Amino acid sequence: MFFVEVVLPLSLAKTFTYRVSEAEFHFIKKGMRVAVPFGKNKIYTALVIDAHENAPTLYEAKEIHQILDEKPIATEIQIKHWLWVANYYMCGIGDVYRGAFPTGLLLESETIVSHKPGTVVNDSELSDDEFLIYEALHHQSSLKVEEIASILNKKNIFPILQKLMAKDIIVLEEEIKESYKPKLVRYVKLHSKYESDQGLNELLNALKNANQKEIVLAYFQINASEKKPVTVKKLVEVSNSTSAVVKALVKKEIFEEYYLQQDRVSFNGEATDKQLQLSEAQETAFTSIKNNFSEKEVCLLHGVTSSGKTEIYIKLIEEYLLTGKQVLYLLPEIALTTQLVSRLRLHFGDKVAVFHSKYSNNERVEVWKQTLENADKAQIVIGARSALFLPFANLGLLIVDEEHEQTFKQTDPAPRYHARDAAIVLANFHNAKVLLGSATPSIETYFNTQSEKYGLVTITERYNNVRMPEIVLVDLKDKHFRKRMTGHFSDLLIEEIAEALSLGEQVILFQNRRGYSPIIECLTCGHVPHCQQCDVSLTFHKHKNQLRCHYCGYSIAKPTHCHSCSSIDLTTKGFGTEQIEQELVSLFPKAKTGRMDQDTTRGKFGFEKIIDSFKNREIDILVGTQMLAKGLDFDNVSLVGIMNADNMLHHPDFRAFERSFQMMTQVAGRAGRSEKQGKVIIQTYNPNHNTIQQVTTHNYIGMYKEQLYDRQIYKYPPYFRIIKLTLKHRDFDKLKEGSMWLYQVLSQNLNMPVLGPEEPAISRIRNEYIRTILIKIPQNLPLGGTKKTIQKMLNSFEAVAQYRAIKVIANVDFY
């Protein structure tokens, strides 16, 4: 009897054994996919992780349906890494497999298939089975895989579907994706023959038409007052004529029209050689990184904002590519990849592959296969955290940029891994090196450099000796007292915005809350409308005129009177990005404002559209939430305003100060990235707060030491590891009882601090009540053993009949 051990893409902690024939046994290798029956009548794509001859004792092994691959599609190192992730982050190996594989490689009987519109199919090229499916999809727009199986009267149809997918005839359901084209802006310039003085006289004499003369004069006027290219739109506005007249002038060869796109910089071939001249500071950093790599596996590059870290990465990547190794470049935010990919493609051409969850299935499968085969196209892979799970053949270097970002930690669904930590382990398996980069490293990482576990390289000056932005604090208490506030803007901020706009520069305003205002309150009885299913007040969104819950999406129309006492005196409290945008319109009616938060960047390309129009200088003032803090690069921003620094500082989280410091420093780093020194204005009620003072003096070390001192006293990372258990159930009393039971078992069996069971700040979401338990593991105790003990207790918790319905989620290193 021959057997294979497989992982199923389900949230199960163990592997399953299936029976194979002798021929199959010799053919199958680790990392191939097989189609297997599971449960009564479902079929899944499972991954083989071992082949052996031991029959399972607890159940009768079923036979596999079919082998789906001719050669392994996952590597051994990869499977080893998955097992580590499953073990360390306390989740099922099935979760990791499901999270790692692109859905295109994970067909199952529930998958929905539809016909790809607009593809021309040559009937003669299809086999009979393929043709039957193709025809069936003409009669019915989409079918489940199990329905197709019954049409063909076959059990195994995965291979047929895979062929059809490869031929681009069918697509999986979740794939109807649009594609983004950056907006082209039409510009005009004077034809080159009229550039001399005598050419100008000829030109003015040649123009008989009054309208045309008007436009040419308007062109000179705009050109003199603004030192930037003239758009057709602007020209038509100033001269009060029509675009038809401009067209006529282009025909006469008086104007030339041209379009701008792609990085908004007219890119000429010769720039590539010049660009890679590193400055002295960069050169020093570059050599010391290489020296560090000879002794240590991990190195932290701590360079201030805009110190040119990307150039150093590019240099390093070049060296690793020469040795024939692959490079993985991780970014915290999908939106950042667009900016970076264009920069890297200028250097490395088509050696760059991109992998993240907004790509369609077929694209992801393609990148997967290229990485596996170590193809030329995938020598450098750029991606968000999911790119960690690709099947690298020969990985040499991992770069984790902006390593402090909390988006590297996956919150839901499992595996709840932290990409930075998982990357370091992956590199270890591959014998590769890791470079972490950040202007404001997280405290754990910095702690590791101080204890000599990681190397540390620091750059203290900005690229080209641009000065650090000047940071000005505005005391809101004082301004309110002296009646110097207009809405949420202090007089100083208004003056500075006006000045920046008059110089034709752009402004970024930062407010970490979306919507118009977070609370609507009745002035008569004090009633505040709450969400029916969650424990939060509803946020007012003005442009849709509705109140909505930011946790479950529940929404109601804006009430005209109080629901409790019917009074009509309703007032809004607090403010979000929408409200600031509206105040700007009344303060600066001429300026164009834009807003960047979750509501405006909903679609796949919402983000790129806003960034593009900001780079094109169509937006003068951009208001946004923390999306703005990520490492974006705008060269024309001279002023950054932080509307209220306090709501970040007083967040109920042990990392609040560290996060606020990082957030404010990063937002401030968006100012003055080219020649001119930028300015940052921070409005706060508490200007003497230590953290805010540390931001103004760019004092990272001060913040680090102060925070470490606190962390040690209150038993937080980096001195203690934290595991957070979240329990959810619809029945309040049952949850209370169950969480108490679990807490008592844990605290009796573990000799370390166990805190809880605590109601979180938001104690009910989507009608489920929530309780949390925190387990703090000191540095000197073994982590693996403790986790095993905890897992045993969780298993026994599940075995208690009345608690089986309570969901327990384990989140390791949840920060």
Side-chain angles (χ1 to χ4, degrees), residues 57-91:
T57 47
L58 297 174
Y59 52 91
E60 177 71 24
K62 293 183 183 174
E63 280 199 12
I64 66 165
H65 271 337
Q66 182 164 27
I67 302 174
L68 297 177
D69 296 308
E70 282 160 28
K71 48 182 195 287
I73 192 163
T75 64
E76 297 217 9
I77 294 188
Q78 205 183 1
I79 295 172
K80 192 167 144 191
H81 185 234
W82 292 354
L83 288 165
W84 176 85
V85 170
N87 181 16
Y88 185 89
Y89 290 106
M90 296 175 72
C91 58

Side-chain angles (χ1 to χ4, degrees), residues 273-464:
D273 314 328
K274 282 212 299 278
Q275 264 184 335
L276 268 185
Q277 287 303 313
L278 297 184
S279 67
E280 263 175 57
Q282 286 174 313
E283 202 51 72
T284 336
F286 180 59
T287 25
S288 55
I289 288 174
K290 287 198 296 199
N291 296 340
N292 266 315
F293 275 162
S294 59
E295 300 155 27
K296 300 193 171 83
E297 300 300 307
V298 185
C299 178
L300 168 69
L301 173 60
H302 177 202
V304 292
T305 47
S306 180
S307 58
K309 293 191 280 289
T310 317
E311 279 83 31
I312 299 181
Y313 299 155
I314 289 177
K315 271 295 233 212
L316 262 178
I317 293 175
E318 270 180 3
E319 297 213 341
Y320 275 91
L321 289 187
L322 290 177
T323 60
K325 299 257 191 206
Q326 288 171 305
V327 178
L328 170 61
Y329 191 140
L330 289 181
L331 289 158
E333 187 71 56
I334 292 177
L336 282 178
T337 49
T338 29
Q339 251 201 344
L340 190 94
V341 170
S342 51
R343 272 180 84 173
L344 286 183
R345 287 213 165 126
L346 289 179
H347 284 281
F348 301 110
D350 52 3
K351 288 184 179 172
V352 184
V354 186
F355 185 86
H356 56 63
S357 50
K358 290 234 172 126
Y359 265 41
S360 78
N361 266 317
N362 289 357
E363 291 171 301
R364 275 189 284 174
V365 172
E366 217 168 282
V367 174
W368 181 279
K369 294 196 164 141
Q370 287 167 355
T371 319
L372 183 65
E373 289 153 12
N374 202 350
D376 276 350
K377 279 193 179 156
Q379 291 301 300
I380 306 169
V381 180
I382 303 181
R385 55 177 186 246
S386 53
L388 258 188
F389 292 127
L390 285 169
F392 292 98
N394 186 2
L395 191 59
L397 173 70
L398 280 104
I399 298 175
V400 183
D401 200 6
E402 307 290 344
E403 62 86 28
H404 60 275
E405 276 298 342
Q406 59 225 53
T407 33
F408 275 130
K409 171 78 175 159
Q410 172 146 322
T411 43
D412 276 309
R416 298 180 176 76
Y417 62 98
H418 193 302
R420 177 195 62 211
D421 303 344
I424 291 172
V425 174
L426 178 66
N428 198 357
F429 288 155
H430 272 282
N431 235 333
K433 304 288 183 194
V434 183
L435 179 62
L436 308 174
S438 171
T440 50
S442 65
I443 285 186
E444 294 80 43
T445 304
Y446 207 77
F447 182 76
N448 279 334
T449 62
Q450 296 304 307
S451 59
E452 305 267 312
K453 193 171 159 190
Y454 300 171
L456 171 65
V457 176
T458 321
I459 309 179
T460 47
E461 56 180 79
R462 288 182 136 189
Y463 187 65
N464 268 350

